[in-house]
């Protein structure tokens, strides 16, 4: 076991690199990814380097199959199950397709297979209304928010709130800043068909700009791995919209870290990218929690290798889980591989 240390303001985070030299202890990790991007490949390479056997499979390719001992059929697994599932991405699809794919993740959990992140955590993060509800329920600072159906209800909220503050309209399901618009008058509200009849309206957080800034904090296994500031000419400060990633300096890293850890915990997320915005008076507000976060922009401004850190955390979790398992319990399911059948 090798060790490395990540240094954050006021604290150090030690990460251990776990390797499995004994054949019967080799973990088999399933990475769920619907596109073989650099981050999925990087995770696979890091896990492989640490002695794990890794397979990358689109979630759409995993079938429910009552003829299989486990009830699931995973390409390349010959009826076996992985020791853990790491969800990198889930492709868009029909309501039925996405429901079935999340059902597969729920099935893994039912079979006692650790899933990072679980279907429940993904559902909580993808649905912005539930994210906001859970953030508020956990006592975390988040802007006043309303999620309603129908333009009439949206107009009633806008009439009440707009005299005091602009509103931000976001798609209930969406990422990377797409579909966000500022609502300053009733006429800015889109028609029902443009938002599938659902209006997610949030108080705009006023802050200095341009340039505008917010923060992305990456949490894994309850620890903050890295954080960045995003600076942009647009008030929507996503990297894919032209914002520039920068190191965080002098912006209350300790408070950012505490908020991000609490937000990830509120979603039951094993790893997450937490978006935090500072208001003009310096207060911090948690806006979103991303259960399938990108990290190329973040990686460009931090020293820690994020894929390495995720791989280390997952393998440590499995090693600790194995150590805590009662003697003899490892053989509970005959269809689980204990050594690689193919690579």
């Amino acid at each position: 076991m090798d060790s490395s240390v990540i240094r954050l303001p006021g604290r150090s985070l030690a990460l251990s690199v776990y390797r499995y030299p004994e054949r019967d202890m080799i973990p088999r990790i399933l990475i769920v990814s619907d596109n073989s991007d650099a981050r999925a490949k990087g995770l696979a390479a890091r896990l492989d380097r640490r002695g794990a056997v890794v397979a990358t499979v689109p979630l759409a390719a995993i079938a429910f199959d009552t003829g299989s001992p486990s009830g699931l059929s995973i390409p390349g697994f010959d009826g076996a199950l992985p020791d853990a599932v790491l969800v990198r991405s889930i492709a868009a699809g029909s309501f039925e397709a996405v429901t079935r794919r999340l059902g597969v993740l729920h099935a893994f959990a039912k079979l006692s297979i650790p899933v990072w992140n679980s279907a429940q955590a993904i559902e909580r993060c993808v649905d912005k209304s539930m994210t906001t509800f859970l953030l508020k329920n956990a006592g975390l600072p988040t802007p006043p928010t309303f999620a309603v159906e129908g333009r009439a209800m949206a107009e009633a909220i806008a009439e009440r709130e707009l005299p005091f503050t602009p509103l931000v309209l976001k798609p209930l399901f969406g990422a990377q800043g797409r579909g966000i618009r500022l609502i300053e008058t009733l006429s800015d509200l889109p028609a029902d068909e443009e938002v599938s009849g659902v209006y997610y309206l949030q108080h705009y957080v006023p802050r200095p700009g341009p340039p505008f800034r917010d923060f992305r904090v990456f949490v894994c296994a309850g620890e903050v791995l890295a954080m960045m500031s995003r600076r942009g000419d647009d008030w929507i400060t996503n990297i894919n919209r032209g914002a520039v990633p920068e190191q965080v300096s002098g912006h209350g890293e300790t408070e950012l870290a505490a908020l991000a850890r609490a937000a990830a915990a509120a979603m039951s997320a094993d790893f997450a990218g937490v978006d935090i915005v500072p208001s003009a008076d310096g207060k911090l507000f948690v806006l979103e929690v991303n259960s399938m976060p990108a990290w190329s922009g973040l990686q460009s401004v931090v020293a820690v290798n994020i894929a390495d850190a995720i791989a280390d955390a997952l393998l440590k979790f499995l090693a600790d889980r194995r150590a805590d398992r009662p003697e003899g319990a490892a053989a509970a399911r005959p269809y689980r591989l204990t050594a690689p059948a193919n690579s």
Side-chain angles (χ1 to χ4, degrees):
M1 182 174 70
D2 302 330
S3 296
S4 59
V5 176
I6 300 171
R7 302 195 182 280
L8 294 171
R11 61 204 293 261
S12 295
L13 170 62
L15 292 177
S16 298
V17 178
Y18 282 84
R19 294 181 174 85
Y20 292 78
E22 298 180 33
R23 184 173 176 82
D24 66 348
M25 295 178 62
I26 296 174
R28 192 166 191 181
I29 310 299
L30 171 63
I31 296 178
V32 169
S33 180
D34 287 291
N35 52 71
S36 187
D37 64 3
R39 287 175 291 277
K41 291 177 180 177
L43 285 169
R46 266 67 178 191
L47 288 162
D48 178 78
R49 191 178 303 161
R50 287 154 173 78
V53 174
V54 186
T56 302
V57 177
L59 192 53
I62 302 173
F64 284 101
D65 181 356
T66 57
S68 166
S70 68
L72 294 174
S73 177
I74 310 168
F77 276 69
D78 298 323
L81 287 172
D83 292 290
V85 177
L86 184 59
V87 182
R88 174 67 209 115
S89 66
I90 301 175
S94 66
F95 177 78
E96 291 83 358
V98 172
T99 299
R100 194 204 68 85
R101 293 168 195 169
L102 289 171
V104 170
L105 297 183
H106 280 295
F108 279 126
K110 182 67 175 177
L111 293 166
S112 300
I113 306 299
V115 181
W116 283 27
N117 282 306
S118 69
Q120 182 187 60
I122 292 170
E123 289 163 352
R124 289 174 169 183
C125 294
V126 168
D127 177 357
K128 290 184 179 66
S129 60
M130 179 54 69
T131 302
T132 304
F133 170 81
L134 292 170
L135 291 172
K136 184 66 175 179
N137 188 258
L140 295 172
T142 194
T145 305
F146 316 89
V148 298
E149 294 187 30
R151 198 175 192 279
M153 292 185 70
E155 285 182 355
I157 289 169
E159 286 179 345
R160 186 183 70 223
E161 303 296 325
L162 286 178
F164 308 100
T165 177
L167 296 170
V168 177
L169 175 74
K170 301 179 183 179
L172 196 64
F173 308 137
Q176 299 183 333
R178 291 187 290 265
I180 296 176
R181 62 180 79 181
L182 191 64
I183 306 299
E184 297 180 286
T185 67
L186 287 179
S187 62
D188 293 330
L189 286 171
D192 274 4
E193 56 268 22
E194 293 183 58
V195 291
S196 301
V198 176
Y199 294 79
Y200 176 94
L201 297 163
Q202 189 171 71
H203 278 203
Y204 174 74
V205 178
R207 59 195 193 276
F212 298 92
R213 284 182 171 82
D214 73 352
F215 303 101
R216 163 62 64 88
V217 184
F218 201 103
V219 179
C220 182
E223 296 288 351
V224 171
L225 297 183
M227 62 179 70
M228 68 174 171
S229 172
R230 297 180 292 198
R231 173 177 54 83
D233 293 330
D234 188 359
W235 63 274
I236 305 173
T237 49
N238 292 81
I239 299 297
N240 73 315
R241 292 176 64 105
V244 177
E246 297 179 336
Q247 292 183 339
V248 175
S249 177
H251 290 286
E253 292 92 338
T254 300
E255 185 180 0
L256 285 168
L259 285 175
R261 285 195 300 271
M267 305 302 125
S268 299
D270 298 292
F271 66 98
V274 182
D275 293 338
I276 300 174
V277 62
S279 65
D281 60 5
K283 294 180 181 177
L284 297 176
F285 293 89
V286 181
L287 294 185
E288 297 182 19
V289 182
N290 300 274
S291 60
M292 293 175 281
W295 60 79
S296 55
L298 176 61
Q299 187 64 78
S300 70
V301 296
V302 299
V304 60
N305 187 291
I306 294 168
D308 275 336
I310 295 172
D312 287 337
L314 178 59
L315 293 180
K316 180 181 184 300
F317 170 85
L318 290 176
D320 291 346
R321 189 172 187 254
R322 183 182 181 90
D324 292 340
R325 183 181 294 147
E327 188 174 353
R333 287 193 297 271
Y335 47 83
R336 173 188 290 282
L337 284 182
T338 56
N342 55 52
S343 58

mmCIF file of all heavy atoms in Angstrom, residues 3-18:
data_model
loop_
_atom_site.group_PDB
_atom_site.id
_atom_site.type_symbol
_atom_site.label_atom_id
_atom_site.label_comp_id
_atom_site.label_asym_id
_atom_site.label_seq_id
_atom_site.Cartn_x
_atom_site.Cartn_y
_atom_site.Cartn_z
ATOM 1 N N SER A 3 1.149 5.540 -0.057
ATOM 2 C CA SER A 3 0.363 6.657 0.467
ATOM 3 C C SER A 3 0.787 7.956 -0.183
ATOM 4 O O SER A 3 1.946 8.145 -0.554
ATOM 5 C CB SER A 3 0.526 6.779 1.991
ATOM 6 O OG SER A 3 0.014 5.634 2.621
ATOM 7 N N SER A 4 -0.154 8.865 -0.338
ATOM 8 C CA SER A 4 0.117 10.217 -0.789
ATOM 9 C C SER A 4 -0.739 11.163 0.020
ATOM 10 O O SER A 4 -1.716 10.747 0.640
ATOM 11 C CB SER A 4 -0.184 10.369 -2.290
ATOM 12 O OG SER A 4 -1.530 10.062 -2.545
ATOM 13 N N VAL A 5 -0.376 12.425 0.046
ATOM 14 C CA VAL A 5 -1.090 13.403 0.862
ATOM 15 C C VAL A 5 -1.530 14.564 -0.008
ATOM 16 O O VAL A 5 -0.748 15.110 -0.785
ATOM 17 C CB VAL A 5 -0.200 13.924 2.025
ATOM 18 C CG1 VAL A 5 -0.923 15.013 2.795
ATOM 19 C CG2 VAL A 5 0.193 12.785 2.943
ATOM 20 N N ILE A 6 -2.808 14.920 0.098
ATOM 21 C CA ILE A 6 -3.349 16.117 -0.537
ATOM 22 C C ILE A 6 -3.463 17.187 0.538
ATOM 23 O O ILE A 6 -4.073 16.957 1.586
ATOM 24 C CB ILE A 6 -4.740 15.850 -1.134
ATOM 25 C CG1 ILE A 6 -4.650 14.749 -2.188
ATOM 26 C CG2 ILE A 6 -5.325 17.118 -1.741
ATOM 27 C CD1 ILE A 6 -6.002 14.285 -2.664
ATOM 28 N N ARG A 7 -2.896 18.338 0.303
ATOM 29 C CA ARG A 7 -2.933 19.396 1.298
ATOM 30 C C ARG A 7 -3.979 20.434 0.903
ATOM 31 O O ARG A 7 -3.927 21.004 -0.173
ATOM 32 C CB ARG A 7 -1.557 20.049 1.449
ATOM 33 C CG ARG A 7 -0.478 19.021 1.843
ATOM 34 C CD ARG A 7 0.790 19.671 2.358
ATOM 35 N NE ARG A 7 1.799 18.669 2.669
ATOM 36 C CZ ARG A 7 1.825 17.951 3.778
ATOM 37 N NH1 ARG A 7 0.883 18.136 4.693
ATOM 38 N NH2 ARG A 7 2.763 17.050 3.980
ATOM 39 N N LEU A 8 -4.926 20.659 1.815
ATOM 40 C CA LEU A 8 -5.944 21.680 1.666
ATOM 41 C C LEU A 8 -5.773 22.688 2.787
ATOM 42 O O LEU A 8 -5.111 22.389 3.790
ATOM 43 C CB LEU A 8 -7.343 21.057 1.714
ATOM 44 C CG LEU A 8 -7.695 20.119 0.557
ATOM 45 C CD1 LEU A 8 -8.997 19.404 0.854
ATOM 46 C CD2 LEU A 8 -7.802 20.888 -0.742
ATOM 47 N N PRO A 9 -6.354 23.860 2.650
ATOM 48 C CA PRO A 9 -6.202 24.872 3.701
ATOM 49 C C PRO A 9 -6.596 24.340 5.078
ATOM 50 O O PRO A 9 -7.724 23.909 5.293
ATOM 51 C CB PRO A 9 -7.140 25.999 3.242
ATOM 52 C CG PRO A 9 -7.209 25.846 1.764
ATOM 53 C CD PRO A 9 -7.149 24.368 1.519
ATOM 54 N N GLY A 10 -5.648 24.318 5.993
ATOM 55 C CA GLY A 10 -5.930 23.950 7.372
ATOM 56 C C GLY A 10 -5.995 22.466 7.639
ATOM 57 O O GLY A 10 -6.238 22.040 8.762
ATOM 58 N N ARG A 11 -5.797 21.610 6.612
ATOM 59 C CA ARG A 11 -5.900 20.182 6.850
ATOM 60 C C ARG A 11 -5.186 19.416 5.744
ATOM 61 O O ARG A 11 -4.930 19.939 4.675
ATOM 62 C CB ARG A 11 -7.381 19.738 6.922
ATOM 63 C CG ARG A 11 -8.163 19.988 5.668
ATOM 64 C CD ARG A 11 -9.633 20.097 6.002
ATOM 65 N NE ARG A 11 -10.133 18.822 6.455
ATOM 66 C CZ ARG A 11 -10.792 17.975 5.680
ATOM 67 N NH1 ARG A 11 -10.998 18.277 4.421
ATOM 68 N NH2 ARG A 11 -11.258 16.847 6.161
ATOM 69 N N SER A 12 -4.854 18.171 6.019
ATOM 70 C CA SER A 12 -4.234 17.302 5.036
ATOM 71 C C SER A 12 -5.091 16.072 4.861
ATOM 72 O O SER A 12 -5.624 15.528 5.829
ATOM 73 C CB SER A 12 -2.824 16.893 5.487
ATOM 74 O OG SER A 12 -1.979 18.026 5.545
ATOM 75 N N LEU A 13 -5.223 15.608 3.625
ATOM 76 C CA LEU A 13 -6.012 14.427 3.315
ATOM 77 C C LEU A 13 -5.072 13.364 2.794
ATOM 78 O O LEU A 13 -4.438 13.527 1.756
ATOM 79 C CB LEU A 13 -7.077 14.774 2.261
ATOM 80 C CG LEU A 13 -7.850 13.612 1.633
ATOM 81 C CD1 LEU A 13 -8.640 12.887 2.717
ATOM 82 C CD2 LEU A 13 -8.772 14.114 0.548
ATOM 83 N N ALA A 14 -4.943 12.264 3.543
ATOM 84 C CA ALA A 14 -4.071 11.181 3.139
ATOM 85 C C ALA A 14 -4.858 10.180 2.300
ATOM 86 O O ALA A 14 -5.934 9.743 2.683
ATOM 87 C CB ALA A 14 -3.482 10.489 4.365
ATOM 88 N N LEU A 15 -4.328 9.836 1.142
ATOM 89 C CA LEU A 15 -4.941 8.833 0.287
ATOM 90 C C LEU A 15 -3.998 7.648 0.165
ATOM 91 O O LEU A 15 -2.788 7.822 0.017
ATOM 92 C CB LEU A 15 -5.223 9.400 -1.109
ATOM 93 C CG LEU A 15 -6.287 10.477 -1.194
ATOM 94 C CD1 LEU A 15 -6.388 10.973 -2.634
ATOM 95 C CD2 LEU A 15 -7.632 9.948 -0.734
ATOM 96 N N SER A 16 -4.533 6.441 0.239
ATOM 97 C CA SER A 16 -3.728 5.239 0.112
ATOM 98 C C SER A 16 -4.041 4.549 -1.199
ATOM 99 O O SER A 16 -5.192 4.467 -1.613
ATOM 100 C CB SER A 16 -4.009 4.278 1.282
ATOM 101 O OG SER A 16 -3.668 4.882 2.507
ATOM 102 N N VAL A 17 -3.018 4.090 -1.882
ATOM 103 C CA VAL A 17 -3.180 3.369 -3.131
ATOM 104 C C VAL A 17 -3.256 1.888 -2.806
ATOM 105 O O VAL A 17 -2.281 1.292 -2.344
ATOM 106 C CB VAL A 17 -2.012 3.647 -4.095
ATOM 107 C CG1 VAL A 17 -2.184 2.846 -5.381
ATOM 108 C CG2 VAL A 17 -1.901 5.134 -4.396
ATOM 109 N N TYR A 18 -4.411 1.286 -3.003
ATOM 110 C CA TYR A 18 -4.623 -0.114 -2.665
ATOM 111 C C TYR A 18 -4.369 -0.992 -3.883
ATOM 112 O O TYR A 18 -4.875 -0.732 -4.967
ATOM 113 C CB TYR A 18 -6.048 -0.337 -2.147
ATOM 114 C CG TYR A 18 -6.203 0.108 -0.719
ATOM 115 C CD1 TYR A 18 -6.466 1.440 -0.430
ATOM 116 C CD2 TYR A 18 -6.056 -0.779 0.332
ATOM 117 C CE1 TYR A 18 -6.592 1.866 0.883
ATOM 118 C CE2 TYR A 18 -6.186 -0.370 1.643
ATOM 119 C CZ TYR A 18 -6.453 0.957 1.907
ATOM 120 O OH TYR A 18 -6.570 1.379 3.210
#
